[in-house]
Structure formats: C-alpha cells, structure tokens
Amino acid sequence: MDDWKPSSLIKPFGARKKRSWYLTWKYKLTNQRALRRFCQTGAVLFLLVTVIVNIKLILDTRRAISEANGDPEPDQDYEEALGRLEPSRRRGSGPRRVLDVEVYSSRSKVYVAVDGTTVLEDEAREQGRGIHVIVLNQATGHVMAKRVFDTYSPHEDEAMVLFLNMVAPGRVLICTVKDEGSFHLKDTAKALLRSLGSQAGPALGWRDTWAFVGRKGGPVLGEKHSRSPALSSWGDPVLLKTDVPLSSAEEAECHWADTELNRRRRRFCSKVEGYGSVCSCRDPTPIEFSPDPLPDNKVLNVPVAVIAGNRPNYLYRMLRSLLSAQGVSPQMITVFIDGYYEEPMDVVALFGLRGIQHTPISIKNARVSQHYKASLTATFNLFPEARFAVVLEEDLDIAVDFFSFLSQSIHLLEEDDSLYCISAWNDQGYEHTAEDPALLYRVETMPGLGWVLRKSLYKEELEPKWPTPEKLWDWDMWMRMPEQRRGRECIIPDVSRSYHFGIVGLNMNGYFHEAYFKKHKFNTVPGVQLRNVDSLKKEAYEVEIHRLLSEAEVLDHSKNPCEDSFLPDTEGHTYVAFIRMEKDDDFTTWTQLAKCLHIWDLDVRGNHRGLWRLFRKKNHFLVVGVPASPYSVKKPPSITPIFLEPPPKEEGAPGAAEQT
Amino acid sequence: MSRINKNVILALLTLTSSAFLLFQLYYYKHYLSAKNGAGLSKSKGSRNGFDSTQWRAVKKFIMLTSSQNVPVFLIDPLILELINKDFEQVKNTSHGSTSECKFFCVPRDFTAFALWYHLWKNEEGWFRIAENMGFQCLKIESKDPRLDGIDSLSGTEIPLHYICRLANHAIHLVVFHERNGNYLWHGHLRLKGHMDRRFVPFRKLQFGRYPGAFDRPELQQITVDGLEVFIPKDPVHFLEEIPHSRFIECRYKEARAFFQQYLDDNTVEAMAFRKNAKELLQLAAKTLKKLGVRFWLSSGTCLGWYRQCNIIPYSKDVDLGIFIQDYKSDIISAFQDVGLPLKHKFGKVEDSLELSFQGKEDIKLDIFFFYEETDHMWNGGTQAKTGKKFKYLFPKFTLCWTEFVDMKIHVPCETVEYIEANYGKSWKIPVKTWDWKRSPPNVRPNGIWPISEWDEVIQLY
C-alpha cells in the first residue's frame, strides 16, 4: 500500500540527494500515463477487494448468528408437534383464539369435548355418579384437572368445595351431572356454585341434568339444565355447545421470581390444577423444605422407593410429608409410577425428584405385585451399594421422625438374622391403644405401610420366587406366608411413624378407611429417642418379655374384657390377661377381643409367640394366649383363660376387604 | 477538474478503505473465531506459563466444582501419565509453590474429569452457574441402562457426558454411575440430531467412544500446578484399565423376546441351580481376581449371558476361558483353598490344558485355556477313556466387560462370532442334548495323547 504515493501535494523532504531521486521518480510518474493508469486500476481493484471482504464478512456473521440460534429451532419444531396434539385445532384454522366446548349431561352418560376432542366420556354403569368437573387452562385449552364428586353421597360436596376453591381465578370450569348430583349437595356448595355465576347449580334438584361452562371469577360461558319431572325419572339429556375465548398466556401465569424452584413450579402450575396454594400467585407454599439434618444419620444412604399409582393428589401430600421429615435425602428417593400417567410424573418433577414409569403388567392385585417387584429390583440396581431399601406407598403420611426412628433401629436388621423387616406401622396402634413413641415391639406379622427391606432378603429369597403375573396374588399377603417369612419377625413402633390416609384404592373404600385407619395413632413429636433398642434382639426380647410378665398385675378374669372397667383407672401400670388359644393358629378369642377393643380384627396382627402388647387407658396391657403361648407358664394356676364365643355366622355378612 | 484532484480523491478513498479493511479483518478474526471455535487448533499457549487457556479453563472448572460440591476427579490419561512419572515430586509439592506449569499447560484440546454421580447431592442449577462463569456446556443424556434389565420401566434420563468449553479449551466431564457388581460405568457419547457436531473435535475425546467399566477407585487429593484435584489413588491401575475398559450391555430386549418364545424355567430345581451356579461363578471370579488372572465367560455360560442374560438352568456347569499366557501354577491350590477341589486335569500347559473343579451341589467349574495362533484361537479337549484329543477353533477376539449375575465380568467383545463358532448359526434355539465331542461346529480331531504321557495329561480325581 505504501508504495503508491500521491504525486504532487506532498512536499518532498529529507536530504537533497533524496529529493532529486524523488523528483526523478515524480517526473517519471507524471510522464508515464500508462503507469498512472496502472495505479488507478490498482486502486479500483483494491476497492473491489474491500467490497468482497465486506460481503464475506456480512455473510459469515449472519451464518454464525443463525448457528448460534440453531439450538432453539428444534425446540420450536417440538413445540409445534405438541401443539398439533392438543385438543384444540387452532393451528389448522389460523390464529383462532376460541375453543368450542361441548358438554353433555344425562342419566347414564356424560361427555365433554373440546374442539372436537373428547376429554371426558363416562357411560359406565353404576360408576361415575355425581358432578364431573373439568378445569381447562384459559390460555392453551389444556385439561388441567378432571374430578368427579359423588354428591349423592355425604361429604363429597365438601371435597368439591375444597377443590373449586383451590382452582386459580381465570381458569375455565366445566361441570356436568351424571345420574344424580344433588342429594348431598349442601348449602355451602350451592353458594359456591352461585358465586361462580351459575343459575341452575344452586337450584339443582333430584335427578336433574345440568351442564355448565364458566370462567372462575369471570363470566358464565354457557349453562343448560333440565328438571326431573318426577321422583322416579331423570331430567332430559342436555347438550351444551359454547365458545370459550382464550386469553393470552401471560394472563394465565403468575409472576414469581425467576429461580430454579419457581421454574419447576411454573411448569407444574401451567399443566395441572387442584394443588392449592402451591400455585398461588401471591404467596405460594414452598416446594423445598430443608428439614433439620439428623445427627449421625444411619439411613442417609438408604434408597427410598415410593410406590405410586395414579393418585397424584395423594402422591403430592405424601411427598410433602416425606420431604419434610428430618434426615431425608431427596436424591435417594425414587418414585415408581405404575402406568404412563402424566400427572403423578408432574408432581414428582415439581419436587425435583426421580420418577420412573412402569408399563402395567397383569391386572388388579397381580399388577400391584408386579409393580412392586420391578420397583424393588430397580431400586437395588440404581443403588448397588445399598444394603437396605425403604419402601413407601403414595397414600402415607410420613412422621417427622421417620428417618430418626429408622436410623436408631436399622442396625438390628444387620445384627439379627431372625428379623424380617422394620416397619413404621403398628397394625394395632390406634388412638386408644398406643401410647409410647419410644417403645418398640417384635411381631410375627409383616405390617408394611412404610418399611425397610434387607437387600439380601430380596435378592436371595424374594426376587427369584416372586409371584408371576398370572398368579393374582397380593404381594404383601405373599410376603406374610410362612414359606417366605420363615418364622422371622418385624420390628414395629408402638406409635406408628406412618399414617395411611388413602381412602380410594384397590382394597379400600371410605367405610373401610373410617373403621380401620382413621383413628390410627401417628407420631408428631420430632426427635424421639427410642428406648433400649438392643433389647429387641431375639434373646434379649425374651428376657424383656419375661421381666414384663413377672411384674405385670393379673387382671380380674371374672370381668368382661370388652367392658371398659376391665382395666382399672390407673396410669403407667402393666396388666396381663390370659385368653384361650388352643393351638398356634387358634385365634377365636383374640379376634372377638380385638373386635370389642375396636382394633384390627380382620386377621391376626401384632402377635409375638401368642402374646399381644398394647395400651389401654395409658396402661401397658398384655394378652397371652393359653396354652399355645410359651408365656402360659406365667399364668397363675387359679386363673381360667377368658373365652369369647364367636357370633353365629350370618348369611351374606359384608365381606370386608381382607387387608390393605 | 485537474488530474491531481482526481488523484487526491482516489488516494483518500483508498486510505479510508484500507483503514476499513484493516478494521474488518481484525473484527472478522476476533468475532468469528470466538464464535466458531475455529481457534481451537491455534492454541499454542506458552508451555510453562500459567496464562495458558488450558490452565485457566481447568482452574475455573475446579473452582466451579469445589464451590458447587460436584464430586469430580481427574481421569485425563495424558495428565495422569505425567503426574505418575514424577509422582513423588507432585505429592511433596505444597500448595502454590509450583513455579512452572507442567501438567495442565501441556497443549491439548481436552481435559477429562470423571463425575462420581452417586455422590452428587445438588444436581440442579450447576449447569447454569457453569454457563454464568463463561463455560459453554453440552449435556449428553440417555436412558438408564440399569433399568433395562427390568421389564417395562422407563425413567428419567441420566446424564452421561458434559462437555464444557471455555475459550478454546474444553473440559470433558465423564459421568461415572454406580452399577451392580461394585464398579463404575460410563456411557457412550452419542450425539443427537440437533447437536452441534463442531462444538469440539469429538473424535479426539479419550472417553465415550464406547461405554466403559472401571473398578471403583479410591481417591486422593493432590496439588498439581497450583490446583487441588482428586486423582485415583492408584493411577497406574487406572491408566491400565482405560484401554481395556470397553463395556457391552447384555441384550435385555432380545433376552425378553427369547423368554417369550421359550418361557423361563421357574421350577424349584432350576432356581436352585441358578443360585448355586451364581455363587460358584462369584467364588471363582473372586479367586481368579485375587490371583490377577484374566478370564471370561465361555461356552454355555457365555451363551446364557448372550441369549438370555441369565444362567441356563440345564447347563450343569460353569465355563470359563483363560489365555494360556495368563496361566499360573497356583490356580489349582487357590481353588482348593476356597473349597473347590480339582476334579480333573487334561493336557498340559504347552498343549490343550483344561481344568475342572468340583463345586457344591454337583456343579462343575470348567476352565478352558486358550492358545493363540496367527489367525485364530483354540482350546483343547481330551476324552479320558481313549486319550483322543480335540481342538475347538475360534476366530480371534478381544475382551470386553459386561455385567452378569451382579458382577463385572469379561466376555469376548466379538460375542456373536465366538458363540457361532461354538454353537453354529442356530444358537438361538435351545438344545438340551449336547455332545461336546461331536455337536460343536468348531471341533476338530487333534490326534491322540501318547500313552506314555497319559498319567500327566489325564488326571481324574
């Protein structure tokens, strides 16, 4: 570049010699036209090069930028693909911001269709009675929740009120009645329906049909109602067709601070409804709990398997209590979901836990049993170092000292071969029969409901002969069979560390739950120090029992054991009663006694060599089966064991479920 | 307009455009090389200065992992090799007293670290922090192979590799997962469709070409080039493992298909046999490992692994292969010490050696010794009654790790070829009657032992 110099304007400088050289050069230059031409061409060429470099630069920059943005593009594709799967066909018809919703209500069938896609259809007989409620996302049209409240039955309307109150304002609510939905629809519920703007809902009568679409806190978008003409007949089927305008996505979301936790929360809350304050815009309930760590936690590295089905609300409640328990380590938790259900997986993701789905195998009890097997195998595969696993179910509350309880007792499983499991659940631990959170028992039955499984037991004994899918067995009944249990026992606390709250389930219904589970005692005291844990070992426990029996006061056997006065009104005493038990499997009198004590009487639970231990009126109460129990030797000769006659068998007695 | 004016204009134009050109060239180099990573190859870095990009990237990465409690340790073969060379010196170096950057400043494209996934407590948010620190990271995930063995489970994907780039150096973080059988496993680095294939020169990566298996290392903390890092306590052992770490997964899907066709034998006897065979295999593996003898699953046991991911219940014995050059004379006594007496011994070390040990419950442990020729391998057989010799030919093979009955164990990498040599193309069909002298397609008669040698080469107990 420097060799081309402008010819005239620059004054020559330097030595004279140089100047003359310059002049010569200049002279030559100015006089040679051809050379000047050449220089000009050179300059033009140079300009051309600059232009080319410029163009290349622009092109390259654009390419680099498009590459940098390259990643999001597949995502957009993915989202588009998802969009097509949505019930609404908005894409097909351009930017239409309206959903057409069809709601049908009749005696034997209900359905709801959104933009032509059926999102609810129920025409099963003897099922799905009551008010069906669907919640749609007001921005996307996604189904966020689907519930049915059998408001023909008591208390269901309360559940409905609870649910509707939890739904965020602005959501689209759809209600439709199948069969009958008014019998136990109380004033509170009717008032709520009125506040939603419904005309017919608050006036819903016996066997009326009713379909309703409205925005929570906003306008009613459509409603149809047909009265039942007579007690014995139903209202005419109604079909409601209405357009629901969609709002913008921003309106549908809350403005939480941008943190990792809130990102999880946002993802969750834009998909599902009915989880209350977790999605509250103003004051959302925390989803991280950070309970106090447990000093010297022996179960910190024990994997926790949560066995779940499709009861996401239960799972939500369960995981909250689990993650709040002292000494929990979230990365050890795996939730196993039986089936490809989305909502339980959403709940798992909300808490940032690991979730694994399981293709259902077989049916009913066998399906549960196969799910258990796969879950346990997977747990030990994922944590090959683990010697134990904690097994939980989705319908349990977990006590705040659950891990503390296990940490204090888990060494027993290692040191005592005669143990089968440690369980957090005492089958006989009801409000009126359990007292001492520091006390542990040995029992011959396996209670389940929050328990610890030894890996060697599973890998060497249970897994190889686990019931195959075609055997419709309950896994827990199978585990309780003598072939599996082989005389081994489980450690349980007097006051349970888990609480069974599920009232919907395979072997469960509201009546059954009320009778056998609702009044179960559940420990809420943190950091309970267990008493004398080593006395739970095989030999030591016998010594302990003999000591207890020796100091126990023998009750007055002439009194009726079912009467409250059978035990004196004392506190802190130990009493013993002897009942008749001819053989190891003769539980006639025990079952009658259990029945009148209002404890578990459907099969025998909580026994240890013909001995039961429980609390009555704050006194420790021992029951010994004579003569089958080896502790019969403690019976004073003058005492005649109590015998209770079983009631005569009634035809068609309600066949209660056998177990949980 | 004079000519001079024209010239002046031309000159001015040229000056401005050259200024522009200079600026553009500078910008072009600066901007695009940063964007494209084209500069990776240019990183010469000063050899002993702490200002090299490698050292800075590693330093930043170590700061990141220690602040976020990410359990990582150094596995880079190049650096481990260097550290190993003057191990004593490295060990004695106290913090920060290094004057020269000897290890992390060696020019290379990657530094490889392992992430001990099992010990990782707070996975979330780590990625974002790395990106805030200036790293550009790529995460490679896949489904969890530990769930593959179980019917019908599908879980959340697990991370297999992270590649984090800072300027023109990249940290390759290999995720090590705990597996059943007391070992660590890392996955195959497979790029998915949308990933940038030019993110880093993937071909130069030291790990991830195949899945790998490693003994669980003990770790120690040392200071290298002023940086505190964890490395395996026994770097030599770890370095030896790297070239032979290739891992192959059992073919669970095919095994399930097999059981759908032929149904599993779940009788009490079959289960008892499986349990005993498993215990025998575990005992044999433990014994041979203690001796430092390499071995692999052979014959029926290998077929059982490959075809059904389990022990074939009617196979009646456990078969292992050992290269004759790995033979040690104390094998027999070691097995005797763990309660496995010698049942018979055929052949001799120079020719057709075969050992059989008596396990409990009448299960036999057969060990075949393999001899290597230029184009094939073979092992020998001897008929006790007649002294006839047989030769079983196999195409050449190398050894890979796999997981079988809760153990990390060797199998031939070229498994199909191995099995087809032994059992023919129809190995997929279960056969219960098998004559080891006639049935295998790879058997060749190999003469007869001279009677004078019988006492040595045919020993029955």
Side-chain angles (χ1 to χ4, degrees):
Chain A
M1 280 174 268
D2 292 328
D3 56 357
W4 192 87
K5 290 235 159 111
S7 48
S8 58
L9 278 184
I10 298 171
K11 290 266 184 216
F13 52 87
R16 198 176 163 79
K17 207 175 177 181
K18 200 171 180 183
R19 186 188 151 91
S20 68
W21 173 83
Y22 173 75
L23 280 175
T24 332
W25 183 70
K26 182 188 161 194
Y27 174 80
K28 274 189 181 167
L29 213 66
T30 41
N31 280 314
Q32 286 177 9
R33 244 191 128 94
L35 192 66
R36 204 171 58 229
R37 265 274 157 79
F38 174 75
C39 291
Q40 283 175 350
T41 330
V44 169
L45 271 175
F46 184 75
L47 285 175
L48 265 176
V49 170
T50 321
V51 168
I52 290 168
V53 169
N54 255 310
I55 291 170
K56 186 169 162 45
L57 176 74
I58 290 164
L59 286 178
D60 281 0
T61 319
R62 285 184 62 171
R63 188 173 53 100
I65 288 168
S66 72
E67 265 176 22
N69 296 340
D71 285 341
E73 272 169 22
D75 279 354
Q76 275 169 11
D77 288 351
Y78 181 64
E79 274 164 17
E80 276 167 26
L82 278 183
R84 268 176 235 122
L85 292 174
E86 277 173 29
S88 56
R89 292 160 303 176
R90 288 189 303 279
R91 298 201 74 84
S93 50
R96 199 166 62 114
R97 302 291 294 160
V98 169
L99 297 172
D100 38 84
V101 174
E102 272 178 49
V103 190
Y104 183 78
S105 165
S106 72
R107 173 195 172 180
S108 57
K109 175 179 178 174
V110 285
Y111 78 81
V112 174
V114 178
D115 270 1
T117 309
T118 306
V119 295
L120 165 77
E121 183 160 29
D122 185 348
E123 46 186 333
R125 297 181 56 167
E126 330 234 321
Q127 259 183 42
R129 176 183 57 202
I131 304 180
H132 291 248
V133 180
I134 285 182
V135 183
L136 302 182
N137 186 306
Q138 68 270 43
T140 62
H142 272 301
V143 176
M144 301 183 73
K146 226 196 278 194
R147 299 282 190 283
V148 52
F149 301 98
D150 179 12
T151 42
Y152 171 81
S153 310
H155 304 306
E156 285 276 310
D157 62 330
E158 295 161 21
M160 185 173 85
V161 170
L162 212 64
F163 174 76
L164 289 177
N165 278 333
M166 278 198 285
V167 172
R171 303 275 188 236
V172 179
L173 285 172
I174 301 173
C175 303
T176 173
V177 170
K178 183 179 175 189
D179 191 356
E180 212 302 304
S182 72
F183 192 53
H184 271 103
L185 193 67
K186 297 276 160 48
D187 287 345
T188 338
K190 287 183 174 170
L192 179 69
L193 292 179
R194 192 172 298 119
S195 77
L196 290 173
S198 165
Q199 303 281 323
L204 197 66
W206 173 252
R207 290 183 173 173
D208 287 357
T209 52
W210 174 55
F212 169 86
V213 178
R215 208 180 273 280
K216 177 144 187 219
V220 176
L221 300 160
E223 184 167 21
K224 268 191 182 170
H225 174 224
S226 167
R227 250 184 212 296
S228 145
L231 264 185
S232 57
S233 61
W234 284 262
D236 293 330
V238 291
L239 176 61
L240 169 68
K241 288 188 181 185
T242 183
D243 278 349
V244 174
L246 289 171
S247 54
S248 75
E250 272 143 46
E251 275 172 54
E253 279 191 1
C254 298
H255 302 283
W256 295 305
D258 188 37
T259 63
E260 197 64 43
L261 287 181
N262 280 342
R263 232 166 273 137
R264 288 198 322 233
R265 191 194 296 277
R266 186 164 296 127
R267 217 173 299 134
F268 180 76
C269 294
S270 67
K271 280 184 84 178
V272 293
E273 260 292 354
Y275 291 84
S277 54
V278 74
C279 291
S280 149
C281 280
R282 276 227 214 109
D283 183 23
T285 182
I287 51 172
E288 198 177 50
F289 306 93
S290 3
D292 296 339
L294 207 57
D296 189 24
N297 188 351
K298 302 227 169 49
V299 290
L300 191 67
N301 291 318
V302 175
V304 178
V306 178
I307 314 287
N310 190 18
R311 295 180 289 177
N313 286 74
Y314 283 9
L315 184 63
Y316 174 79
R317 172 172 167 179
M318 188 274 165
L319 290 177
R320 284 192 81 88
S321 75
L322 176 63
L323 292 169
S324 308
Q326 271 184 14
V328 67
S329 41
Q331 70 278 0
M332 300 305 288
I333 300 173
T334 314
V335 181
F336 293 94
I337 298 160
D338 191 12
Y340 288 94
Y341 303 113
E342 261 185 58
E343 202 168 323
M345 214 53 181
D346 294 334
V347 172
V348 173
L350 171 72
F351 291 112
L353 300 173
R354 184 187 307 105
I356 290 176
Q357 291 171 311
H358 181 218
T359 317
I361 303 170
S362 193
I363 47 157
K364 287 187 180 167
N365 297 350
R367 171 171 167 180
V368 177
S369 152
Q370 290 311 304
H371 182 49
Y372 257 88
K373 183 186 181 190
S375 306
L376 296 177
T377 306
T379 302
F380 288 120
N381 270 2
L382 291 173
F383 299 93
E385 284 300 275
R387 280 168 299 152
F388 308 100
V390 175
V391 185
L392 300 173
E393 286 160 45
E394 67 184 344
D395 51 3
L396 298 178
D397 278 331
I398 302 302
V400 63
D401 75 332
F402 178 78
F403 291 104
S404 157
F405 157 71
L406 294 181
S407 175
Q408 292 175 65
S409 56
I410 198 145
H411 66 279
L412 293 172
L413 265 190
E414 251 170 308
E415 292 162 14
D416 188 346
D417 287 342
S418 68
L419 286 181
Y420 197 48
C421 76
I422 296 177
S423 174
W425 178 259
N426 177 3
D427 282 307
Q428 309 293 22
Y430 291 86
E431 289 284 2
H432 59 289
T433 56
E435 203 59 52
D436 185 355
L439 182 64
L440 302 179
Y441 301 136
R442 273 179 86 103
V443 296
E444 286 170 18
T445 49
M446 204 216 79
L449 300 178
W451 54 289
V452 184
L453 169 68
R454 202 194 273 132
K455 181 178 183 176
S456 56
L457 169 69
Y458 181 68
K459 281 281 163 191
E460 284 158 29
E461 298 180 39
L462 303 180
E463 188 185 32
K465 51 179 184 177
W466 197 272
T468 44
E470 69 275 8
K471 297 195 178 99
L472 301 181
W473 284 354
D474 282 310
W475 70 275
D476 52 346
M477 293 308 264
W478 176 79
M479 265 193 80
R480 285 174 188 136
M481 277 153 61
E483 294 88 326
Q484 275 64 253
R485 196 172 61 81
R486 304 210 328 232
R488 287 168 293 194
E489 294 185 299
C490 287
I491 300 284
I492 60 162
D494 178 52
V495 179
S496 299
R497 260 51 173 199
S498 60
Y499 178 77
H500 185 263
F501 63 76
I503 51 171
V504 192
L506 192 55
N507 300 321
M508 191 52 74
N509 58 57
Y511 166 76
F512 188 60
H513 185 265
E514 187 117 1
Y516 288 103
F517 290 99
K518 204 165 180 188
K519 299 250 165 72
H520 233 95
K521 192 151 183 160
F522 176 59
N523 182 49
T524 51
V525 186
V528 175
Q529 200 65 39
L530 301 180
R531 202 177 324 112
N532 217 350
V533 177
D534 281 329
S535 72
L536 269 297
K537 287 187 190 167
K538 195 174 166 59
E539 283 82 24
Y541 195 67
E542 293 313 308
V543 176
E544 172 71 10
I545 295 295
H546 276 100
R547 187 190 64 78
L548 265 179
L549 284 170
S550 303
E551 65 177 45
E553 300 161 44
V554 179
L555 288 165
D556 181 355
H557 280 55
S558 62
K559 286 189 181 165
N560 182 353
C562 292
E563 296 286 324
D564 205 39
S565 60
F566 184 61
L567 268 93
D569 292 317
T570 55
E571 261 186 41
H573 286 239
T574 305
Y575 295 106
V576 60
F578 297 92
I579 60 168
R580 197 193 292 178
M581 181 174 163
E582 295 299 340
K583 295 189 295 249
D584 280 346
D585 58 354
D586 168 25
F587 299 113
T588 326
T589 303
W590 166 254
T591 307
Q592 294 317 308
L593 184 61
K595 202 161 267 165
C596 71
L597 291 178
H598 300 291
I599 57 177
W600 186 271
D601 59 0
L602 299 178
D603 56 1
V604 181
R605 302 277 176 99
N607 50 318
H608 167 79
R609 307 178 80 194
L611 165 83
W612 287 265
R613 297 175 66 179
L614 35 118
F615 279 85
R616 298 283 292 135
K617 301 182 182 171
K618 303 205 168 171
N619 300 299
H620 201 18
F621 174 42
L622 310 175
V623 179
V624 177
V626 178
S629 168
Y631 309 122
S632 304
V633 292
K634 295 280 179 185
K635 182 183 78 70
S638 57
I639 295 284
T640 317
I642 296 163
F643 177 68
L644 296 174
E645 192 86 42
K649 279 211 174 132
E650 290 168 45
E651 278 304 310
E658 280 192 350
Q659 46 83 52
T660 58
Chain B
M1 276 286 176
S2 74
R3 241 176 243 156
I4 294 162
N5 271 351
K6 209 168 155 190
N7 278 339
V8 170
I9 291 165
L10 210 67
L12 277 174
L13 264 175
T14 315
L15 268 176
T16 16
S17 54
S18 48
F20 261 111
L21 185 67
L22 277 175
F23 168 74
Q24 279 159 4
L25 283 173
Y26 169 78
Y27 177 78
Y28 183 71
K29 184 186 160 207
H30 195 76
Y31 175 77
L32 281 182
S33 62
K35 239 353 209 210
N36 260 352
L40 263 184
S41 50
K42 283 187 211 131
S43 67
K44 291 279 140 47
S46 59
R47 259 192 179 254
N48 40 13
F50 283 102
D51 54 348
S52 78
T53 41
Q54 292 97 314
W55 187 80
R56 266 181 298 163
V58 172
K59 185 188 163 146
K60 245 191 175 174
F61 176 73
I62 287 171
M63 268 163 55
L64 168 71
T65 52
S66 54
S67 70
Q68 295 298 307
N69 286 323
V70 187
V72 296
F73 57 98
L74 184 72
I75 52 167
D76 198 285
L78 189 77
I79 299 174
L80 280 185
E81 195 88 59
L82 288 173
I83 291 175
N84 191 37
K85 264 187 207 150
D86 33 20
F87 201 33
E88 284 313 306
Q89 203 206 320
V90 172
K91 259 185 170 172
N92 298 330
T93 319
S94 59
H95 303 227
S97 69
T98 8
S99 55
E100 195 187 4
C101 178
K102 281 200 288 192
F103 305 100
F104 286 127
C105 299
V106 180
R108 65 207 185 279
D109 293 310
F110 297 99
T111 308
F113 281 88
L115 166 66
W116 204 319
Y117 191 74
H118 187 67
L119 305 177
W120 199 9
K121 303 288 178 199
N122 47 344
E123 205 177 326
E124 241 177 42
W126 170 80
F127 214 58
R128 209 170 292 272
I129 293 166
E131 281 176 348
N132 287 345
M133 283 177 85
F135 283 106
Q136 282 180 287
C137 289
L138 186 75
K139 182 181 185 182
I140 287 146
E141 288 182 305
S142 183
K143 60 187 175 92
D144 195 333
R146 291 167 299 191
L147 301 178
D148 269 6
I150 311 158
D151 244 355
S152 56
L153 282 191
S154 64
T156 17
E157 297 208 320
I158 51 168
L160 297 183
H161 295 267
Y162 291 94
I163 296 176
C164 286
R165 202 174 68 189
L166 186 76
N168 49 32
H169 190 67
I171 306 286
H172 179 198
L173 189 55
V174 186
V175 186
F176 277 41
H177 294 272
E178 296 266 352
R179 293 281 300 253
N180 231 336
N182 209 19
Y183 68 100
L184 297 180
W185 170 91
H186 74 74
H188 179 192
L189 196 154
R190 193 178 280 133
L191 292 179
K192 292 191 180 145
H194 65 272
M195 285 175 185
D196 180 7
R197 262 135 242 275
R198 285 173 303 164
F199 184 72
V200 287
F202 287 103
R203 292 187 168 278
K204 293 189 191 164
L205 286 175
Q206 304 269 13
F207 294 88
R209 200 178 161 77
Y210 300 111
F214 290 86
D215 289 336
R216 188 184 298 113
E218 269 188 74
L219 299 182
Q220 59 177 341
Q221 198 175 26
I222 55 164
T223 309
V224 188
D225 291 342
L227 301 176
E228 283 188 14
V229 287
F230 281 98
I231 63 163
K233 206 164 205 165
D234 186 354
V236 183
H237 177 67
F238 190 83
L239 284 167
E240 281 169 357
E241 278 187 281
I242 294 175
H244 310 289
S245 64
R246 185 175 166 194
F247 180 88
I248 43 184
E249 207 71 61
C250 197
R251 310 180 324 146
Y252 296 107
K253 236 165 101 189
E254 285 83 355
R256 273 198 287 276
F258 175 83
F259 284 125
Q260 271 183 359
Q261 197 172 351
Y262 297 107
L263 291 184
D264 201 0
D265 186 352
N266 280 324
T267 55
V268 181
E269 300 79 49
M271 283 199 288
F273 175 80
R274 276 198 182 131
K275 185 166 177 272
N276 292 324
K278 178 178 163 181
E279 281 167 11
L280 177 62
L281 183 55
Q282 282 170 340
L283 182 63
K286 207 172 120 191
T287 313
L288 288 170
K289 196 174 175 190
K290 216 183 264 170
L291 288 174
V293 172
R294 247 183 329 164
F295 68 95
W296 65 91
L297 302 182
S298 191
S299 309
T301 314
C302 188
L303 178 66
W305 167 75
Y306 193 71
R307 187 171 68 189
Q308 45 207 77
C309 297
N310 208 337
I311 291 165
I312 301 176
Y314 48 83
S315 56
K316 296 195 183 65
D317 50 15
V318 171
D319 303 311
L320 301 181
I322 294 178
F323 290 122
I324 193 68
Q325 58 268 34
D326 292 336
Y327 172 78
K328 284 189 179 158
S329 52
D330 45 1
I331 289 180
I332 296 173
S333 60
F335 274 110
Q336 244 142 14
D337 290 346
V338 294
L340 299 173
L342 187 65
K343 191 166 186 232
H344 53 242
K345 177 183 174 189
F346 294 129
K348 48 190 177 179
V349 177
E350 301 78 47
D351 186 10
S352 304
L353 184 65
E354 180 192 340
L355 300 175
S356 271
F357 297 91
Q358 185 59 57
K360 62 171 188 179
E361 308 287 334
D362 223 24
I363 306 179
K364 204 157 54 98
L365 172 71
D366 288 329
I367 300 185
F368 306 106
F369 288 85
F370 278 64
Y371 297 79
E372 191 168 355
E373 305 291 337
T374 45
D375 61 339
H376 68 280
M377 315 248 194
W378 63 275
N379 74 300
T382 300
Q383 193 176 18
K385 254 188 283 172
T386 59
K388 268 190 199 158
K389 284 164 74 185
F390 298 92
K391 212 175 197 182
Y392 300 86
L393 308 183
F394 292 90
K396 285 210 164 185
F397 58 88
T398 50
L399 295 182
C400 276
W401 291 112
T402 191
E403 187 179 303
F404 188 57
V405 293
D406 302 332
M407 262 193 302
K408 180 182 96 167
I409 208 161
H410 271 134
V411 286
C413 298
E414 297 79 9
T415 327
V416 199
E417 290 80 2
Y418 189 87
I419 286 175
E420 282 185 357
N422 216 178
Y423 294 96
K425 296 265 182 211
S426 57
W427 55 268
K428 278 185 189 158
I429 302 156
V431 177
K432 291 204 180 180
T433 50
W434 189 258
D435 178 359
W436 62 269
K437 299 182 292 306
R438 254 173 250 114
S439 310
N442 62 339
V443 65
R444 307 276 180 278
N446 189 21
I448 192 159
W449 290 105
I451 301 208
S452 59
E453 283 189 57
W454 278 30
D455 280 349
E456 190 202 339
V457 299
I458 303 176
Q459 298 180 22
L460 302 170
Y461 297 91

